Amino acid sequence: MRITHPTRPVRLLGIAVAGLSVTAASLSGVADAAPRAPVRPTIVLEHGAFADASSWDGVVQRLERAGYPVVAAANPLRGPADDAAYLRSVLDRIEGPVVLVGHSYGGTVISQAAAGLENKVKALVYIAAFLPDTGESSLGLTNRFPGSTLGNAVEPVNYTLPDGSQGADVYIKPDRFRQQFAADVPAARARLMAAGQRPVAAAALEEASTQAAWKTIPSWSLVTTQDLNIPVAAQRFMSERAHARTTEVNASHAVSVSRPDAVTRVVEDAARSVR
């Protein structure tokens, strides 16, 4: 009796198995080489003086439609140190990476709040905002360049502090609000904004910053060329100094209300950098 060995089938099976191994290895290599998909960071929005969190409404709607979790934080507007401490408490409750966005004086606050949080705050976005260096104040940066008419549009309102000393809040006069702050916002909306404006402590605008997170965290900036609060020259100077990725838009200081589309594009650009 002759026993025949199935040499050919075995050989073919061996080739097939080897082919599968090569294919698996190739696919593994392709998977390893593929770029990592961006994560969805939480977008934290910090408003500035003479505004409140509702000034971000149009931006929030667009970001949420794009799939981003969003927090529009309340800014106490008492001073960079106190306001930054409050914002850090908000950041402490958020899991995962964050893109931190500040408008106007809110830029001063995020620059201080994000210092030392590079593992959490992955990008800073400045919207018609201050990017102060250590030792600089919002008012000092405004006065360094021509173009702001804010000084003629505001009025202080005195109040008594718990220790009996006097403080002063600063408001924009209602009849000057739209021209000064929101010239490209519809008149009816501007009237609502004027009525609901949040005052800033006068001392907050003079308080020097002690941290400048833009030195260690990638930054984006939206410069508003029709701004009567922060001179466009000041915005350009600060953005260039911070090596921020800068976009300019023909808008008033209230750009988050008048041009939420432009603001959202800059925020999304920063968010796409987070991996």
Side-chain angles (χ1 to χ4, degrees):
M1 178 182 296
R2 188 176 66 178
I3 300 175
T4 58
H5 298 282
T7 54
R8 185 174 180 183
V10 169
R11 188 178 300 113
L12 290 174
L13 180 60
I15 293 170
V17 170
L20 287 173
S21 299
V22 170
T23 302
S26 301
L27 289 174
S28 176
V30 170
D32 292 341
R36 293 177 62 188
V39 299
R40 290 286 185 181
T42 299
I43 312 298
V44 177
L45 306 167
E46 181 82 336
H47 68 82
F50 317 116
D52 62 16
S54 69
S55 62
W56 295 112
D57 283 355
V59 177
V60 172
Q61 291 170 353
R62 287 163 173 78
L63 289 172
E64 287 186 338
R65 281 202 299 266
Y68 291 98
V70 184
V71 175
N75 187 348
L77 302 174
R78 298 297 90 190
D82 288 347
D83 298 340
Y86 183 86
L87 180 56
R88 285 176 76 102
S89 73
V90 174
L91 298 176
D92 287 343
R93 300 195 300 271
I94 297 173
E95 295 184 1
V98 167
V99 172
L100 192 52
V101 185
H103 172 244
S104 189
Y105 164 80
T108 297
V109 178
I110 70 171
S111 294
Q112 191 146 322
L117 297 182
E118 292 83 2
N119 290 334
K120 173 180 282 287
V121 180
K122 299 300 183 180
L124 297 170
V125 183
Y126 295 89
I127 305 298
F130 292 106
L131 294 76
D133 201 350
T134 302
E136 295 178 339
S137 70
S138 299
L139 185 60
L141 285 163
T142 299
N143 292 340
R144 190 183 301 182
F145 299 86
S148 176
T149 58
L150 182 62
N152 296 323
V154 298
E155 59 182 350
V157 176
N158 294 327
Y159 61 90
T160 302
L161 293 163
D163 63 2
S165 62
Q166 293 291 305
D169 272 346
V170 179
Y171 292 83
I172 297 178
K173 300 171 185 176
D175 62 338
R176 298 289 298 276
F177 187 92
R178 188 182 184 215
Q179 176 185 353
Q180 177 63 42
F181 193 86
D184 53 355
V185 173
R189 178 68 188 275
R191 283 195 297 272
L192 292 175
M193 293 170 64
Q197 66 175 295
R198 292 277 309 283
V200 62
L205 301 177
E206 299 175 358
E207 182 181 324
S209 295
T210 60
Q211 303 282 350
W214 48 262
K215 292 183 177 180
T216 57
I217 299 175
S219 301
W220 280 253
S221 179
L222 181 65
V223 170
T224 42
T225 61
Q226 300 302 310
D227 202 312
L228 297 181
N229 274 32
I230 306 177
V232 63
Q235 294 182 51
R236 288 168 176 160
F237 163 75
M238 292 183 285
S239 301
E240 182 177 353
R241 179 178 63 179
H243 304 290
R245 298 161 179 81
T246 301
T247 303
E248 295 197 359
V249 62
N250 185 27
S252 73
H253 192 63
V255 63
S256 62
V257 179
S258 66
R259 293 294 306 277
D261 53 339
V263 173
T264 302
R265 281 194 295 270
V266 175
V267 175
E268 286 191 289
D269 187 33
R272 283 191 290 268
S273 74
V274 178
R275 296 186 179 277

